[in-house]
Amino acid sequence: EGAAAGVIVYDLDELAYGDTEFVRDLPAGQMRAIVRAKGYRSIIVNGTPIIDDDRETGAVPGRLLRPGASLTV
């Protein structure tokens, strides 16, 4: 009880790479290339959906883990 968890539900027949897109979301408006995945029906992190039917929900319930960082909650 109270432990963090993640669940991924995907359609194996639909898993694929999307097209390359360019987004400007870095500091000073710098551009980067991204490739979105297809075929993920749902991704749930800590009880919060972050992907729903191949679409990002905008939720960010997890936290970034860096090498050497403590994993204590």
Side-chain angles (χ1 to χ4, degrees), residues 5-70:
V7 176
I8 300 174
V9 179
Y10 59 90
D11 181 341
L12 186 58
D13 294 331
E14 296 295 321
L15 282 179
Y17 292 112
D19 296 327
T20 300
E21 301 174 43
F22 294 94
V23 296
R24 292 185 180 273
D25 60 356
L26 295 174
Q30 294 297 308
M31 189 182 315
R32 69 182 177 110
I34 62 170
V35 178
R36 299 185 194 276
K38 298 178 182 180
Y40 288 92
R41 297 298 162 233
S42 183
I43 299 178
I44 301 167
V45 175
N46 297 338
T48 303
I50 62 169
I51 299 288
D52 185 28
D53 199 23
D54 266 347
R55 292 186 188 94
E56 296 174 10
T57 64
V60 288
R63 62 183 179 149
L64 180 63
L65 298 178
R66 295 190 184 274
S70 173

